[in-house]
Amino acid sequence: MKSSIAQQAPLIQNIQARNVLSLNGRWNYIVDPYENGYYDYRHEAFDATTSGTGGFYDDKKPKDKGELIEYDFDYSPTLNVPGDWNSQVEKLEMYEGTVWYRRKFNAAVKPGKRYILYFAAVNYEAHVYLNGKKLGMHKGGFNSFQFEVTGKLKAGENFIVVKADNTRHQDEIPTINTDWWNYGGITRDVFIAEVPDTYIADYKVQLAKNDAAHIEGYVQLNGNDLSQDVTLNIPEAGIKTTVKTDATGRAVINIPVRKISYWSPENPKLYSVNVAAGTDNVSDKIGFRTIQVKGTDIMLNGKSVFLRGISIHDENPLLKGRNRSTGDLKMLLTWAKEMNCNYVRLAHYQHNEEMLRLADEMGLMVWAEVPVYWTISWENPATYQNAENQLTGLITRDINRASIIVWSIGNETPVSEPRLKFMGNLASKARSLDNTRLVAAALEVHRKGNEAIVDDPLGEKLDLVSFNEYAGWYWGGDPSGITKYNFNIKYNKPVVITEFGGDALSGYHADANTRWSEEYQEALYKNQIAMLSKITALRGMTPWILADFRSPRRQHPVYQTFWNRKGLISETGKKKQAFFVLKSFYDELEKKYK
Ligand code: GCU
């Protein structure tokens, strides 16, 4: 088979639906704080030398009793993949640095087939080697990435070695300072997909922008035989059409829709969709809905909605670690449903693809975000490219998820000209990748007397006025006094509060003015709701946050012990009093927007 594949294959769409070999399970690991397995004592990278050998990725064994090899994966302990190392090994709870992973596996290699090694996420910088050969490097702890291993994968035994390094740096995305635990490792699934020589690399099948009567999208082939017939089949909707790809393997789809049941939280209807081309075909479950802004209203399928939401981190508090299974993800979304949410903010980075597919099934609209968080190196072109790559990964992976209604380009980024340029470019990039969803960011407010002012110039470029405000916790005195505040909002757009909240230690009870008590948090929610309900353009909120989560910035020895306690559910899964305040507010809103 000629391997003259010129163009870089896009991230394979819907890999789980392909013919895959899962590499999840136990991987041997070596902790390497000095990157001894990567650099020689002169700090020259082994994989940059002419031989390209010498590092731990050789997975070498002494050939005789005299040979000096100072590592051995076979006798090294194991970590579970997917899973962060911090929650699996006590002494690695706060470890930041390099850990080497090695996995041996058997593969069957068939002629005429191609093989793609796919990582759903590795935090933060991953160097990947197959059978001792370097495949490449990837940066970004929450995005999926892949390497073509056709011709490199052997029939029989193979070994993969991954150098995972979660060291934080100023110029990266996220930058050096965050309010979440820097879980390291191979935190999501690892697969090898077997695909035909020419395969369906990517596709988008969604309703056209603001148009409930047309499905619009594309199919992108990758391989040697790029000009082919592609058939799109949606049997239940009576849709079957064939289009021809052009010389670059791309076909545009634009088909009228006669009778379709539109996706919404009340009716999370998903259709079986099949895309076939040559010897390849892939099936998916896709919902169809339109989302747009009209004045200060958010219109879902042409009807004004209120986004009854909650913010969520990709963490299972019961595990004190990154979510590892569908069960973990379902637990979090079920808690949100118990609060009568129809919407969630997946903060502050790309969550597991499974989370979006569950939101599709369970009927939860989604705000998806890239970790452009706090003070980024706005004028560093490499930092911008990194942010844009992560945004592209966010949008291309989940382009077919009906649940996602908002792409967020960042959180609490400080107002400045270089930042406005940076964020403005990200907003245009998001729109160029997908013009059917809303684009937003979590802005900040500033105050003058009893006025909370939202006039961030970035708001001009966004579809929503969405901001974080911590009245009653970081400012504004205790909760009983915050209703005096009025919001002065520069933009005539729907207002969505991306964060408000306060910490409460579950089970700690006192009067409503005593911080850390459930009563204080309860009063804060009651008064926040009263204060925010004065905003006539209020069309949604995602209070901070569904459940207590780990943070290295929360060191109070009694109330925090490295937990951010703003959850409405404790780290043991116990609902706090404020949970029920928000639920009853959402029950009212559900009736109001029926
Ligand atoms: C910020 C930030 C969150 C953080 C929260 C808090 O607004 O966006 O990531 O956890 O406030 O202070 O609890």
Side-chain angles (χ1 to χ4, degrees):
M1 189 218 24
K2 290 199 287 32
S3 61
S4 62
I5 311 300
Q7 87 267 45
Q8 177 59 31
L11 191 71
I12 188 167
Q13 180 68 227
N14 187 12
I15 187 163
Q16 283 91 341
R18 313 294 177 134
N19 182 4
V20 290
L21 167 68
S22 169
L23 295 177
N24 291 352
R26 307 299 299 183
W27 291 49
N28 298 91
Y29 75 94
I30 299 174
V31 180
D32 188 10
Y34 279 47
E35 300 178 280
N36 186 38
Y38 186 73
Y39 295 107
D40 67 15
Y41 80 114
R42 294 270 178 248
H43 218 260
E44 305 283 338
F46 288 115
D47 64 19
T49 58
T50 25
S51 72
T53 62
F56 285 3
Y57 48 81
D58 294 344
D59 192 16
K60 222 157 176 256
K61 305 290 279 185
K63 60 182 175 304
D64 56 46
K65 63 184 178 190
E67 187 177 15
L68 171 62
I69 304 286
E70 294 184 281
Y71 68 92
D72 189 322
F73 277 111
D74 291 338
Y75 290 96
S76 297
T78 61
L79 280 168
N80 198 57
V81 168
D84 59 272
W85 60 63
N86 314 70
S87 61
Q88 294 187 62
V89 182
E90 199 170 336
K91 72 175 194 285
L92 296 181
E93 185 184 7
M94 302 186 104
Y95 178 67
E96 294 187 298
T98 284
V99 170
W100 292 88
Y101 286 78
R102 193 262 346 236
R103 177 82 151 79
K104 284 184 180 177
F105 64 99
N106 283 310
V109 175
K110 303 191 194 85
K113 294 291 185 184
R114 293 171 59 193
Y115 297 89
I116 296 173
L117 172 61
Y118 182 99
F119 291 86
V122 177
N123 192 42
Y124 176 78
E125 183 175 307
H127 293 251
V128 181
Y129 307 81
L130 175 63
N131 301 330
K133 294 274 174 300
K134 183 135 191 193
L135 295 174
M137 185 276 280
H138 178 266
K139 275 188 184 178
F142 307 99
N143 277 135
S144 311
F145 59 99
Q146 65 188 39
F147 301 102
E148 167 123 22
V149 291
T150 313
K152 296 174 182 154
L153 190 68
K154 291 186 297 183
E157 190 171 82
N158 294 264
F159 65 95
I160 289 181
V161 172
V162 176
K163 174 186 187 293
D165 179 2
N166 70 338
T167 307
R168 290 167 290 123
H169 301 281
Q170 170 56 39
D171 292 349
E172 299 300 330
I173 301 281
T175 182
I176 206 152
N177 190 18
T178 70
D179 191 30
W180 66 79
W181 207 266
N182 185 22
Y183 292 111
I186 306 179
T187 54
R188 295 182 190 154
D189 298 329
V190 186
F191 298 106
I192 292 190
E194 177 188 275
V195 291
D197 174 49
T198 299
Y199 70 97
I200 300 163
D202 192 13
Y203 56 86
K204 175 184 180 180
V205 183
Q206 287 277 282
L207 290 176
K209 180 179 171 67
N210 308 343
D211 177 354
H214 284 87
I215 284 179
E216 196 177 78
Y218 54 75
V219 175
Q220 177 67 57
L221 302 181
N222 182 276
N224 290 311
D225 186 2
L226 291 177
S227 184
Q228 289 202 37
D229 284 346
V230 173
T231 301
L232 171 70
N233 198 356
I234 314 177
E236 221 189 324
I239 290 172
K240 186 166 188 174
T241 181
T242 297
V243 288
K244 194 153 192 67
T245 51
D246 62 21
T248 69
R250 194 170 186 86
V252 173
I253 296 168
N254 190 321
I255 35 179
V257 171
R258 257 169 278 292
K259 210 173 151 333
I260 210 161
S261 167
Y262 295 103
W263 183 97
S264 70
E266 296 72 27
N267 172 47
K269 171 67 186 168
L270 299 178
Y271 284 84
S272 294
V273 173
N274 182 272
V275 181
T279 56
D280 198 16
N281 88 70
V282 56
S283 295
D284 206 339
K285 286 262 180 214
I286 297 180
F288 300 98
R289 53 96 194 92
T290 61
I291 186 77
Q292 62 194 117
V293 159
K294 248 197 192 121
T296 58
D297 285 330
I298 299 173
M299 312 299 280
L300 175 70
N301 300 323
K303 186 168 172 290
S304 174
V305 289
F306 190 98
L307 307 179
R308 309 188 312 267
I310 193 77
S311 294
I312 300 179
H313 259 302
D314 178 24
E315 181 184 277
N316 177 346
L318 311 180
L319 279 179
K320 283 171 64 170
R322 287 278 175 236
N323 292 310
R324 295 185 202 153
S325 68
T326 305
D328 295 347
L329 305 173
K330 205 167 237 173
M331 175 186 75
L332 297 176
L333 294 184
T334 304
W335 282 345
K337 293 284 271 187
E338 286 169 8
M339 201 187 276
N340 198 2
C341 287
N342 62 1
Y343 169 67
V344 291
R345 175 187 180 203
L346 300 182
H348 292 291
Y349 36 76
Q350 185 164 34
H351 283 226
N352 192 311
E353 182 173 347
E354 201 55 37
M355 191 69 156
L356 286 311
R357 289 183 178 278
L358 281 170
D360 272 6
E361 283 166 28
M362 296 168 74
L364 285 162
M365 294 177 277
V366 169
W367 162 298
E369 184 164 289
V370 281
V372 176
Y373 179 95
W374 289 347
T375 311
I376 301 284
S377 302
W378 307 112
E379 296 174 271
N380 179 335
T383 304
Y384 177 78
Q385 196 49 56
N386 184 342
E388 195 182 273
N389 293 347
Q390 295 197 36
L391 181 65
T392 304
L394 181 84
I395 296 176
T396 46
R397 190 197 74 183
D398 298 330
I399 193 86
N400 293 306
R401 303 284 75 77
S403 54
I404 301 182
I405 58 168
V406 185
W407 301 120
S408 166
I409 56 173
N411 179 72
E412 291 191 350
T413 51
V415 175
S416 76
E417 264 321 300
R419 169 261 192 180
L420 187 59
K421 183 161 171 283
F422 189 113
M423 299 302 277
N425 290 339
L426 283 183
S428 325
K429 181 69 183 178
R431 295 187 198 288
S432 72
L433 292 167
D434 175 34
N435 67 356
T436 65
R437 294 177 174 87
L438 311 180
V439 175
L443 306 178
E444 293 180 287
V445 302
H446 56 98
R447 280 164 290 116
K448 217 188 278 149
N450 291 352
E451 222 185 28
I453 302 158
V454 183
D455 58 2
D456 183 330
L458 180 58
E460 205 73 67
K461 301 175 189 288
L462 306 175
D463 300 311
L464 303 172
V465 186
S466 37
F467 54 89
N468 302 349
E469 53 81 11
Y470 279 91
W473 188 255
Y474 292 128
W475 53 270
D478 68 59
S480 60
I482 63 171
T483 50
K484 68 173 178 284
Y485 286 100
N486 295 305
F487 285 82
N488 170 352
I489 296 169
K490 179 173 174 193
Y491 306 103
N492 183 38
K493 298 177 181 182
V495 172
V496 175
I497 310 299
T498 23
E499 292 180 33
F500 72 80
D503 291 56
L505 177 62
S506 172
Y508 173 48
H509 294 286
D511 62 43
N513 295 330
T514 302
R515 278 190 190 259
W516 311 109
S517 69
E518 289 201 35
E519 287 72 18
Y520 187 107
Q521 190 189 47
E522 183 181 32
L524 184 142
Y525 269 72
K526 285 182 179 154
N527 288 284
Q528 274 278 355
I529 289 167
M531 175 185 73
L532 295 172
S533 298
K534 294 189 285 180
I535 302 173
T536 50
L538 183 70
R539 293 293 180 280
M541 58 174 62
T542 46
W544 195 257
I545 183 166
L546 178 68
D548 291 357
F549 64 95
R550 307 279 286 160
S551 169
R553 301 178 68 253
R554 308 297 168 174
Q555 286 116 325
H556 192 287
V558 177
Y559 302 115
Q560 295 178 313
T561 60
F562 288 128
W563 288 93
N564 183 312
R565 299 277 185 203
K566 294 189 180 68
L568 293 177
I569 294 174
S570 75
E571 83 276 18
T572 59
K574 196 158 178 327
K575 295 181 175 70
K576 302 177 190 177
Q577 290 167 211
F579 176 101
F580 302 100
V581 173
L582 190 61
K583 179 176 175 353
S584 53
F585 178 54
Y586 284 172
D587 293 346
E588 276 168 44
L589 282 169
E590 184 184 18
K591 293 190 206 102
K592 185 171 164 206
Y593 278 81
K594 205 160 216 78

